[in-house]
Amino acid sequence: MLGIKPNQVESVTRLLDEGATVPFISRYRKEATGNLDEVAVHEIEIWHKKYTELEKRKQLVIETIAEQGKLTDELRSKIEATLDATELEDIYMPYKPKKRTRATIAKEQGLEPLAAWITKQWPGNAEQTAAKYAKGDLTTEKALAGARDIVAEWVSENAQARQKVRNIFNRKATIVSKIIKGKESDGVKYGDYYDFSESLNRCPSHRMLAMRRGEEEGFLRISIDVEGNEVPEALTRFFVRERNDAAQQMQLAVADSYKRLIQPSIENEFKKLSKDKADKEAIEVFVRNLRQLLLAAPLGQKRILAIDPGFRTGCKVVCLDELGNLLHNEAIFPHPPQNEWSQSQATLQHLAKKYKLQAVAIGNGTAGRETEALVRSIKFEAPMQIFVVSENGASVYSASQVARDEFPNYDVTVRGAVSIGRRLMDPLAELVKIDPKSIGVGQYQHDVDQTALKESLDYTVVSCVNSVGVNLNTASMHLLSYVSGLGPKLAQNIVDYRTENGAFASRTELKKVPRLGDKAFEQSAAFLRIPDAKNPLDNSAVHPESYAIVDRMARDNKCTIAQLMANAELRKTIDLNRYVSQTVGLPTLKDIMQELEKPGRDPRESIKEFAFAEGVTTINDLKEGMVLPGIVTNITNFGAFVDIGVHQDGLVHVSQMADKFVSNPADVVSLHQEVKVKVESVDMTRHRIQLTMRGVAQG
């Protein structure tokens, strides 16, 4: 639990309704929210949306029941009081418009009084009572059957009964997977689930999603139920109170209701709930990985030699300046079949000198290790840092409209190499151009609810962009579009204004951008940086609404703002209580002081060079027992995938991640972390590498 108080919820929802964003609220409205962090504010946003949707559903339910003339004050109060969507649907069920059912046909035959007799379990002979309703083709036996159909529907619409069934399913439901007859040979990849059962509560998300994928593809049949007769017996005890003919009919109706109506309905409900839960867990894994990937350490503004490796088609080489602009491109062919090794060495050496390059970015795809060996064999005139960069999603970017707009005169190979180089300089700025699903750090990302996935990923990108801040004068439209309060249209307007008028000299100048009004300025300005601005606060996270406070601090200490920012001893003498007002409290003032200490600080770590083991470049080079350096490339609920430089990531299962029990792999490793692993086994046929971190010293 987050321990959020009602008044905090009220403040956050009010700000959200006024158009404020989560990053803005959590960073610049701490007094209003009681110092809630971004996680808590986002959680309130999620629940606010859910309850808003629930209120809309309540109104629809009330209107529908009112149109039927069945809305009582008691029923209205019950609907308005519920905070649970499932409970609301249970209340609504008896009034929900239905298709023609066995029960409606029986009602048309005038059998409701007989059904009421059964439900109330009154004394009397069943056949004699039913005989009163027999006429024409409607025999006594058919009359009883029709009345039971009505009772079965009433039973299925009983909210208490449905909740009893749910309670038992919650505790004891089992998920069962069976292979569809005749699909055994085609569905071999789902072999583990041909005859599988497990407690629904214990089924992990990756297993649930694997079975659901098998069902979607037509290989598996999935069912959820409670073994034995516990549920029917519980329903019988709930509904059957007497020992007479009517009670016997009631028992038959209850059994039919469970088998025909309640069980399929509750099974579908639990299938959805279990899928939603699995989706939520899988999305959380994806979000955690994406956040780490987006916040990966940047090299910064360096002149880059970027290489997209290849064998037959050669390696595409590009040279980039400090801002990521393309200076030069060409292809080299150091690998088979051309084998122009020495010529390639000379070319790279020449380019490094000519363009004063400072670092090399090498894609980690095909021929990546071989190209790394080429680069490391060169004696550059100036020191050169060498990095291997993930290519995941680079091909998606290079073929996208975004890439075509940026480089209309170059082909996909040049665009891909540029993307690799820019990723090294600033992973966040480059990766925002790619659909997060294509970055390759998810778990069953194509099987989960795509709307929920998109919402979570979009929020994660927004959170990361705003936590880092954006250079107003160099950021692309795509990066700007994720800044609090902007979006694609205003981001494009900013870029257009910058193109026509040159670099922004101050944050205030943002107000000249077409359609960028006061609200957008309030929400976005503090997340935008201007490194060489006249006012040094324009390159900080201090909000323009607080500039007057800093100005007053400087005047009180008889210095300029720049001097105040440069003098730590001077800042220590400031009594923050002097600057507290009705709208500005100590939380904001403390944030301002932290920002004055390190204006515009980047929260990301510093990048480190990394090298794979020499002589181990393909899966054929691996031997059991080898201890190798690696980079964590993906984290799932069942373990972590590690790149050891052989073009095939190995899996460290969660049971092999430490010498102690590990429940969550993310507690042990993070994305892009350098680790040491031992080769457990190599399956050449299926190209699977099993690794372990147990007993392997790290660091």
Side-chain angles (χ1 to χ4, degrees), residues 487-523:
K489 182 62 180 172
L490 284 179
Q492 187 60 57
N493 289 354
I494 288 172
V495 172
D496 292 344
Y497 180 91
R498 199 171 63 196
T499 302
E500 293 172 15
N501 301 280
F504 285 87
S506 69
R507 281 172 170 167
T508 307
E509 194 180 345
L510 273 167
K511 293 182 178 181
K512 296 180 181 178
V513 173
R515 305 183 70 83
L516 201 153
D518 291 342
K519 193 67 180 180
F521 180 81
E522 174 197 64
Q523 296 295 309

Side-chain angles (χ1 to χ4, degrees), residues 455-468:
E455 286 178 357
S456 294
L457 297 182
D458 284 350
Y459 169 74
T460 303
V461 177
V462 167
S463 173
C464 291
V465 168
N466 289 284
S467 70
V468 171

Side-chain angles (χ1 to χ4, degrees), residues 56-108:
K56 288 180 183 176
R57 180 64 175 166
K58 283 183 188 180
Q59 288 308 307
L60 178 63
V61 168
I62 288 171
E63 289 168 12
T64 304
I65 298 174
E67 287 170 4
Q68 298 171 16
K70 297 177 181 178
L71 184 65
T72 64
D73 289 342
E74 182 184 358
L75 184 55
R76 178 190 286 273
S77 297
K78 197 173 181 182
I79 291 169
E80 289 176 343
T82 186
L83 297 174
D84 183 81
T86 301
E87 183 183 2
L88 176 63
E89 295 308 317
D90 279 353
I91 296 169
Y92 181 41
M93 185 171 282
Y95 309 96
K96 186 181 284 187
K98 300 179 180 69
K99 295 178 181 177
R100 203 157 182 262
T101 64
R102 282 163 50 170
T104 55
I105 294 169
K107 288 175 184 177
E108 290 166 4

